[in-house]
Amino acid sequence: MPPAKKKPRTYDSRRIRAAVTGQFGQVADAVRELTPEQLARPTGLGAWTVAELAAHIAWVADSLARGLDRPPGAKAELPPHEWPFATAALAGRIAEAAGETLSGAPLPELFERAGARLAAALDAHRDDRVLDLWIGPMTLGDFLVTRTVELVVHTDDLNRAAGLSVPLDRQALAACTRLLADALAHKAPGGAVEVRIPPFAVVQCIEGPRHTRGTPPNVVETDPLTWLRLATGRTTWAEAVDAAAVSAGGERADLAGLLPLMS
């Protein structure tokens, strides 16, 4: 008999909304203090400079508000853990939109405007509002969970590229970690390997013998920041293992062929 299908993970709406607005606010405060030299630095994300990365983060908030300005979409079908795979074909379109955002106004002004629009939009709409997105219809509540991934991952990118230490909101980091862990379980369903990302997530993945009690024979464990870098291609499996940022025990405990989940 096949294993019962797991129910999708649920998220606390109040915490997710606070995490999204809080993380965006942390980045906005940091961007206001960036020097011309910092803004011109490369990020390692294609040809993006720090200025272009910052513009993309502003676009993340502004595009959500713009999406809520449009008429509601059809019945939502895309859950958060499938979003990483649905975005793969949109990288060029997203980069172009971020570039257009950068050309519109100085970065501090962009962040102030985007933050105000985001706050007003969230005040006006409930989580069950369906957004008509490039990737397909999603509820606002589910889409906000995906915004934690965008904001946390790009905050980490910004920190490393510009030499900053912008804090990561704990709830945003937790949601980002869980969504990407669930995406791995969706990509490689099974129960042969247990992936632990304390203190936020534990998932089982990869076909093979399933354990039911005690310590599983195949275990991967890492910290949330290393996990999001692995899942988004900021670091490789071999690099993380060599740096002892990942522990992997068991003959099946090798995720190199499944990562990154998105890049």
Side-chain angles (χ1 to χ4, degrees):
M1 178 181 296
K5 189 174 181 179
K6 291 181 63 176
K7 292 182 179 180
R9 190 188 299 272
T10 59
Y11 295 85
D12 184 302
S13 172
R14 179 183 59 81
R15 291 184 175 182
I16 293 296
R17 285 173 175 248
V20 168
T21 56
Q23 190 65 57
F24 183 80
Q26 295 272 18
V27 174
D29 289 343
V31 166
R32 293 187 189 98
E33 304 299 323
L34 290 174
T35 66
E37 185 274 330
Q38 286 174 307
L39 289 169
R41 289 181 187 179
T43 62
L45 305 174
W48 275 6
T49 63
V50 167
E52 289 165 320
L53 170 59
H56 175 77
I57 298 173
W59 175 84
V60 167
D62 195 62
S63 64
L64 173 55
R66 291 184 185 186
L68 287 167
D69 287 341
R70 296 194 297 269
K75 181 180 178 181
E77 297 180 353
L78 188 69
H81 64 268
E82 294 184 21
W83 165 81
F85 312 111
T87 62
L90 296 175
R93 190 173 179 182
I94 290 170
E96 182 179 344
E100 292 173 357
T101 300
L102 178 62
S103 65
L107 280 171
E109 183 179 328
L110 287 176
F111 272 84
E112 183 174 356
R113 183 181 67 197
R117 282 171 49 81
L118 175 64
L122 294 183
D123 284 344
H125 296 281
R126 302 188 331 176
D127 279 3
D128 58 1
R129 167 67 150 79
V130 178
L131 288 163
D132 184 14
L133 303 170
W134 292 344
I135 54 176
M138 289 185 79
T139 65
L140 172 59
D142 284 347
F143 192 58
L144 282 171
V145 180
T146 73
R147 301 305 82 190
T148 67
V149 178
E150 289 274 9
L151 289 169
V152 168
V153 170
H154 286 315
T155 299
D156 181 49
D157 291 333
L158 189 66
N159 281 341
R160 288 183 290 129
L164 303 178
S165 55
V166 181
L168 297 179
D169 179 275
R170 180 177 173 82
Q171 292 299 329
L173 180 60
C176 171
T177 301
R178 291 164 181 156
L179 186 154
L180 293 173
D182 290 344
L184 173 66
H186 175 75
K187 182 177 183 178
V193 179
E194 184 165 284
V195 179
R196 301 171 178 172
I197 313 158
F200 299 131
V202 178
V203 296
Q204 293 186 359
C205 61
I206 303 177
E207 291 184 351
R210 189 180 188 88
H211 79 278
T212 57
R213 64 180 65 185
T215 302
N218 301 283
V219 177
V220 171
E221 185 166 328
T222 190
D223 63 276
L225 197 56
T226 299
W227 169 240
L228 69 87
R229 290 174 181 173
L230 284 166
T232 59
R234 271 59 175 175
T235 192
T236 67
W237 177 259
E239 288 168 343
V241 171
D242 288 346
V246 169
S247 64
E251 62 181 17
R252 292 174 174 267
D254 185 341
L255 305 183
L258 297 172
L259 299 172
L261 302 172
M262 61 187 300
S263 58

Coordinates of all heavy atoms in Angstrom, one line a residue, residues 127-176:
D127 N -5.9 36.6 3.1 CA -5.0 35.6 2.6 C -5.7 34.8 1.5 O -5.0 34.2 0.7 CB -4.6 34.6 3.7 CG -3.4 35.2 4.5 OD1 -3.0 36.4 4.3 OD2 -3.0 34.5 5.4
D128 N -7.0 34.7 1.4 CA -7.7 33.9 0.4 C -7.9 34.6 -0.9 O -8.4 34.0 -1.9 CB -9.0 33.3 0.9 CG -10.0 34.4 1.3 OD1 -9.6 35.6 1.2 OD2 -11.1 34.1 1.8
R129 N -7.4 35.8 -1.0 CA -7.5 36.6 -2.3 C -6.5 35.9 -3.3 O -5.4 35.6 -2.9 CB -7.0 38.0 -2.0 CG -6.7 38.8 -3.3 CD -7.9 39.1 -4.1 NE -7.8 40.4 -4.8 CZ -7.1 40.6 -5.9 NH1 -6.4 39.6 -6.5 NH2 -7.0 41.8 -6.5
V130 N -7.1 35.6 -4.5 CA -6.3 34.9 -5.5 C -5.6 35.9 -6.4 O -6.2 36.8 -6.9 CB -7.2 33.9 -6.3 CG1 -6.3 33.2 -7.4 CG2 -7.8 32.9 -5.4
L131 N -4.3 35.7 -6.5 CA -3.4 36.5 -7.4 C -3.3 35.9 -8.7 O -3.0 34.7 -8.8 CB -2.1 36.7 -6.7 CG -2.0 37.6 -5.5 CD1 -0.7 37.4 -4.7 CD2 -2.2 39.1 -5.9
D132 N -3.4 36.7 -9.8 CA -3.2 36.2 -11.2 C -1.7 36.5 -11.5 O -1.3 37.6 -11.9 CB -4.1 37.0 -12.1 CG -4.0 36.5 -13.5 OD1 -3.4 35.4 -13.8 OD2 -4.5 37.2 -14.4
L133 N -0.9 35.5 -11.3 CA 0.6 35.6 -11.4 C 1.1 35.1 -12.7 O 0.4 34.3 -13.4 CB 1.3 34.9 -10.2 CG 0.8 35.3 -8.8 CD1 1.4 34.4 -7.8 CD2 1.3 36.7 -8.6
W134 N 2.4 35.4 -13.1 CA 3.0 34.8 -14.2 C 3.1 33.3 -14.2 O 3.0 32.6 -15.2 CB 4.4 35.4 -14.4 CG 4.5 36.9 -14.7 CD1 3.5 37.6 -15.2 CD2 5.7 37.7 -14.5 NE1 4.0 38.9 -15.3 CE2 5.3 39.0 -15.0 CE3 7.0 37.5 -14.1 CZ2 6.2 40.1 -15.0 CZ3 7.9 38.5 -14.1 CH2 7.5 39.8 -14.5
I135 N 3.3 32.8 -13.0 CA 3.4 31.4 -12.8 C 2.1 30.6 -12.6 O 2.1 29.4 -12.5 CB 4.3 31.0 -11.6 CG1 3.8 31.7 -10.3 CG2 5.7 31.4 -11.8 CD1 4.5 31.4 -9.0
G136 N 1.0 31.4 -12.6 CA -0.3 30.8 -12.4 C -0.9 31.4 -11.1 O -0.3 32.1 -10.3
P137 N -2.2 31.0 -10.9 CA -2.9 31.6 -9.7 C -2.4 31.0 -8.4 O -2.3 29.8 -8.2 CB -4.4 31.3 -10.0 CG -4.3 30.1 -10.9 CD -3.1 30.2 -11.7
M138 N -2.2 31.9 -7.4 CA -1.9 31.5 -6.0 C -2.7 32.4 -5.1 O -3.0 33.5 -5.4 CB -0.4 31.7 -5.7 CG 0.5 30.7 -6.4 SD 2.3 31.0 -5.8 CE 2.2 30.1 -4.2
T139 N -3.0 31.8 -3.9 CA -3.6 32.7 -2.9 C -2.6 33.7 -2.4 O -1.4 33.4 -2.4 CB -4.2 31.9 -1.7 OG1 -3.1 31.2 -1.0 CG2 -5.2 30.9 -2.2
L140 N -3.0 34.8 -1.9 CA -2.1 35.8 -1.3 C -1.4 35.1 -0.1 O -0.1 35.4 0.0 CB -2.9 37.0 -0.8 CG -2.1 38.0 0.0 CD1 -1.0 38.6 -0.8 CD2 -3.1 39.1 0.5
G141 N -2.0 34.3 0.7 CA -1.4 33.7 1.8 C -0.2 32.8 1.4 O 0.9 32.9 2.0
D142 N -0.4 32.0 0.4 CA 0.6 31.1 -0.1 C 1.7 31.9 -0.8 O 2.9 31.6 -0.6 CB 0.1 30.1 -1.1 CG -0.7 29.0 -0.4 OD1 -0.6 28.9 0.8 OD2 -1.4 28.3 -1.1
F143 N 1.4 32.9 -1.5 CA 2.4 33.7 -2.2 C 3.3 34.5 -1.2 O 4.5 34.6 -1.5 CB 1.7 34.7 -3.2 CG 2.7 35.3 -4.2 CD1 3.5 34.6 -5.0 CD2 2.8 36.7 -4.2 CE1 4.4 35.1 -5.9 CE2 3.7 37.3 -5.1 CZ 4.5 36.5 -5.9
L144 N 2.7 34.9 -0.1 CA 3.5 35.6 0.9 C 4.6 34.7 1.5 O 5.7 35.1 1.8 CB 2.6 36.2 2.0 CG 1.8 37.4 1.7 CD1 0.8 37.7 2.8 CD2 2.8 38.6 1.5
V145 N 4.3 33.4 1.6 CA 5.3 32.5 2.1 C 6.5 32.4 1.1 O 7.6 32.4 1.5 CB 4.7 31.1 2.2 CG1 5.8 30.1 2.7 CG2 3.5 31.1 3.2
T146 N 6.2 32.5 -0.2 CA 7.3 32.5 -1.2 C 8.1 33.8 -1.1 O 9.3 33.8 -1.5 CB 6.7 32.3 -2.6 OG1 6.1 33.5 -3.1 CG2 5.8 31.1 -2.7
R147 N 7.5 34.9 -0.7 CA 8.2 36.1 -0.5 C 9.2 36.0 0.6 O 10.3 36.8 0.5 CB 7.2 37.3 -0.2 CG 6.1 37.6 -1.3 CD 6.7 37.8 -2.7 NE 7.0 36.5 -3.4 CZ 7.6 36.4 -4.5 NH1 8.1 37.5 -5.1 NH2 7.8 35.2 -5.1
T148 N 9.0 35.2 1.5 CA 10.1 35.0 2.6 C 11.3 34.4 1.9 O 12.5 34.8 2.3 CB 9.6 34.1 3.7 OG1 9.4 32.8 3.3 CG2 8.3 34.7 4.4
V149 N 11.2 33.5 0.9 CA 12.3 33.0 0.3 C 13.1 34.1 -0.5 O 14.3 34.2 -0.4 CB 11.9 31.8 -0.7 CG1 13.1 31.3 -1.4 CG2 11.2 30.7 0.1
E150 N 12.3 34.8 -1.3 CA 13.0 35.9 -2.0 C 13.7 36.9 -1.1 O 14.9 37.2 -1.4 CB 11.9 36.7 -2.8 CG 11.3 35.9 -4.0 CD 12.1 36.1 -5.3 OE1 13.2 36.7 -5.2 OE2 11.6 35.7 -6.3
L151 N 13.1 37.3 0.0 CA 13.6 38.3 0.8 C 14.8 37.7 1.7 O 15.9 38.4 1.8 CB 12.6 38.8 1.8 CG 11.5 39.7 1.1 CD1 10.4 40.0 2.0 CD2 12.2 41.0 0.6
V152 N 14.7 36.5 2.2 CA 15.8 36.0 3.0 C 17.0 35.7 2.1 O 18.1 36.0 2.5 CB 15.3 34.7 3.8 CG1 16.5 34.0 4.4 CG2 14.3 35.1 4.9
V153 N 16.8 35.0 1.0 CA 17.9 34.6 0.1 C 18.6 35.9 -0.4 O 19.8 36.0 -0.4 CB 17.4 33.8 -1.1 CG1 18.5 33.6 -2.1 CG2 16.9 32.4 -0.5
H154 N 17.8 36.9 -0.8 CA 18.5 38.1 -1.3 C 19.1 39.0 -0.3 O 20.0 39.7 -0.5 CB 17.5 38.8 -2.2 CG 17.3 38.2 -3.6 ND1 18.3 37.6 -4.3 CD2 16.1 37.9 -4.3 CE1 17.8 37.1 -5.4 NE2 16.5 37.3 -5.4
T155 N 18.6 38.9 1.0 CA 19.2 39.6 2.1 C 20.6 39.0 2.3 O 21.6 39.7 2.5 CB 18.4 39.5 3.3 OG1 17.1 40.2 3.1 CG2 19.1 40.2 4.5
D156 N 20.7 37.7 2.3 CA 22.0 37.0 2.4 C 22.9 37.4 1.3 O 24.1 37.6 1.5 CB 21.7 35.5 2.5 CG 23.0 34.7 2.6 OD1 23.8 35.0 3.5 OD2 23.2 33.7 1.9
D157 N 22.4 37.4 0.0 CA 23.2 37.8 -1.1 C 23.7 39.2 -0.9 O 24.9 39.5 -1.2 CB 22.3 37.8 -2.4 CG 21.9 36.5 -2.9 OD1 22.6 35.5 -2.6 OD2 20.9 36.4 -3.5
L158 N 22.8 40.1 -0.4 CA 23.2 41.5 -0.2 C 24.3 41.6 0.9 O 25.3 42.4 0.7 CB 22.0 42.3 0.2 CG 22.1 43.9 0.3 CD1 22.4 44.4 -1.1 CD2 20.9 44.5 0.9
N159 N 24.1 40.9 1.9 CA 25.1 40.9 3.0 C 26.5 40.5 2.5 O 27.5 41.1 2.8 CB 24.7 40.0 4.1 CG 23.6 40.6 5.0 OD1 23.5 41.8 5.1 ND2 22.9 39.7 5.8
R160 N 26.6 39.4 1.7 CA 27.8 38.9 1.3 C 28.5 39.8 0.2 O 29.7 40.0 0.2 CB 27.7 37.5 0.7 CG 27.4 36.5 1.9 CD 27.3 35.1 1.4 NE 26.1 34.8 0.6 CZ 26.1 34.3 -0.6 NH1 27.2 33.9 -1.2 NH2 24.9 34.1 -1.2
A161 N 27.6 40.4 -0.7 CA 28.2 41.2 -1.8 C 28.6 42.6 -1.3 O 29.6 43.1 -1.8 CB 27.1 41.4 -2.9
A162 N 27.8 43.2 -0.4 CA 28.1 44.6 0.0 C 28.8 44.6 1.4 O 29.1 45.7 1.9 CB 26.8 45.4 0.1
G163 N 29.1 43.5 2.0 CA 29.8 43.5 3.3 C 28.9 44.0 4.4 O 29.4 44.7 5.3
L164 N 27.6 43.6 4.4 CA 26.7 44.1 5.4 C 26.4 43.0 6.4 O 26.8 41.8 6.2 CB 25.4 44.6 4.7 CG 25.5 45.6 3.6 CD1 24.1 46.0 3.0 CD2 26.1 46.9 4.2
S165 N 25.6 43.3 7.4 CA 25.1 42.3 8.3 C 23.6 42.6 8.6 O 23.2 42.7 9.8 CB 25.9 42.4 9.6 OG 26.0 43.7 10.2
V166 N 22.8 42.7 7.6 CA 21.4 42.9 7.7 C 20.8 41.7 8.4 O 21.0 40.5 8.0 CB 20.7 43.1 6.4 CG1 19.2 43.3 6.6 CG2 21.3 44.3 5.6
P167 N 20.1 41.8 9.5 CA 19.6 40.7 10.3 C 18.5 39.9 9.4 O 17.8 40.5 8.6 CB 18.9 41.3 11.5 CG 19.5 42.6 11.6 CD 19.8 43.1 10.2
L168 N 18.5 38.6 9.6 CA 17.4 37.8 9.0 C 16.3 37.6 10.1 O 16.5 37.0 11.1 CB 18.0 36.4 8.6 CG 19.1 36.5 7.5 CD1 19.6 35.0 7.2 CD2 18.6 37.1 6.3
D169 N 15.1 38.0 9.7 CA 14.0 37.8 10.6 C 13.8 36.3 10.9 O 13.7 35.5 9.9 CB 12.7 38.4 9.9 CG 11.5 38.3 10.7 OD1 10.8 37.2 10.6 OD2 11.1 39.2 11.5
R170 N 13.6 36.0 12.1 CA 13.5 34.6 12.5 C 12.4 33.9 11.8 O 12.5 32.7 11.3 CB 13.4 34.4 14.0 CG 13.4 32.9 14.4 CD 13.3 32.8 16.0 NE 13.1 31.4 16.4 CZ 14.0 30.5 16.5 NH1 15.2 30.8 16.1 NH2 13.7 29.3 16.9
Q171 N 11.2 34.5 11.8 CA 10.0 33.9 11.2 C 10.2 33.8 9.6 O 9.8 32.8 9.0 CB 8.8 34.7 11.5 CG 8.4 34.6 13.0 CD 8.1 33.2 13.4 OE1 7.6 32.3 12.7 NE2 8.4 32.9 14.7
A172 N 10.8 34.8 9.0 CA 11.1 34.7 7.6 C 12.1 33.6 7.3 O 11.9 32.8 6.3 CB 11.6 36.0 7.1
L173 N 13.1 33.4 8.1 CA 14.1 32.4 7.9 C 13.4 31.0 8.1 O 13.7 30.1 7.3 CB 15.3 32.6 8.8 CG 16.4 31.5 8.7 CD1 17.0 31.5 7.4 CD2 17.4 31.8 9.8
A174 N 12.6 30.9 9.1 CA 11.9 29.6 9.3 C 11.0 29.2 8.1 O 11.0 28.1 7.7 CB 11.0 29.7 10.6
A175 N 10.2 30.2 7.6 CA 9.3 29.9 6.5 C 10.1 29.5 5.3 O 9.8 28.6 4.5 CB 8.4 31.1 6.3
C176 N 11.2 30.3 5.0 CA 12.0 30.0 3.9 C 12.6 28.6 3.9 O 12.6 27.9 3.0 CB 13.1 31.1 3.8 SG 14.5 30.8 2.6

